[in-house]
Amino acid sequence: MTEQHDVHAPALLELVIEALRQDDDAGLASSIAESSAEDLALLLESLPPEKRVKTWPHVDPALHADILELLHEEVRASVLTAMDSDAISAAAPAMKDGALADVIEDLGEHDMARILDSLEADHRARLEAALAYPEDTAGRLMTSEVVSVRADVSLAVVLRYLHRFNSFPAHTDAVMVTDDDGKFLGRLAINDVITGNADALVDEVMQRDDDYVPVSATDNEVAQLFRQQSLVSVAVVSPTGELLGRITIDEVLDLIQHEAEQTYLAQVGLDEEEDLFAPVILSARRRGVWLGINLATVFLAAAVIKQFEAVLSEVVALAILMPIVASMGGIAGSQTLTLTIRAIALGQLATANVRWLLAKEIAVGTLNGLVWAVVVAAVSVLWMQDYLLGAVIGVAMVINLVVAAGCGVLVPMVLRSLGQDPALSGAVVLTTVTDIVGFVSFLGLATLVML
């Protein structure tokens, strides 16, 4: 959302909440009358479900389609409860095929059938085609609004053909080229149509490249292609090569934002589709799973500490300084983990270059470990007046930062190879490792040299 919407949203939220508190329907309608679809989507996500239901009837029906596309899944489901099938059917024609497919999947079979029946034949066919593809694939992202020509016609013929359009589909930077059987051959840039030799054939001017995606490609693969090639649009083809549609930059920008939210929230075990005002029991159950996992790892670390009970009872200063080693390792490992997960998401990391990254991060960990080991050792000596204790914590710091750097690279790679999402579980695994290594190195060295 733009900065303008973000600045406006808090004021709008305050006005709406006040109107709802006073049960002022006229004031509520007036407050949202000039708001954009983006502002209203953010507003609805900021209200509890029962307040959304009360607000929705005052929203301009002309904005329903855009708002439903913008809402997160759980919030959209709560809004749909305030709409009858006639209202949904009225919004459906203006919605993109993939977004409409997501909406009607939230409905019962009766309402789904009624909405399908209300659509024009070509729209219904496109929607049924979108429903045939799994979520998070190119088939759901694509639109079938494509301008295509054959390769054996001249640019003059193409130009006359384009003049017949009142307007082009959004983000049409090129015309797709197909053969007589509808198979994708390449792209003809609009710029080449306008500036090229009118007598030249499309076959002579078109771009024959690999800038297309199979209909089964994942969202991440599509986003990666757009990042790498700086595309505005890309063709989507069937397994046998037929042109099915195209994906445009606006869809990919939404996808990239979705990925960013997913990665950020997954690090603490949350779902980006979760409703801010979801029921208490549901939210507690979702978060409780990760609290339980974290508790198990904490008990594991506590069990390690217990093994050094003797040295802790003899040297009380160890208990005071012990969290420093584990915390520094956790921070260093998290930095490397974040870098590695980002590289995986962007397709920058493969088996062939993992060794280079691992060597580089271990070198960084070693350098930082040495620098901060000197600082921590010096502070510890000044504070505790114990040179041996300073040496122990310094060595433990180097060990833990080196291990943390290595785990920051290896943990996400191992999790990915096991079919797990590194963003979801990587931080838990890494924290456990750095805590245990920090405690073992610090307390183990203390046991060896101080008892």
Side-chain angles (χ1 to χ4, degrees), residues 269-270 274 278-292:
L270 297 178
E274 183 174 343
V280 172
I281 298 298
L282 178 61
S283 296
R285 184 169 67 244
R286 286 170 170 166
R287 301 179 199 183
V289 171
W290 285 97
L291 289 173

Side-chain angles (χ1 to χ4, degrees), residues 149-158 188 198-204:
V149 297
R150 296 194 312 274
D152 58 356
V153 300
S154 67
L155 295 186
V157 171
V158 174
L188 175 64
D199 295 327
L201 296 178
V202 170
D203 186 62
E204 300 170 355

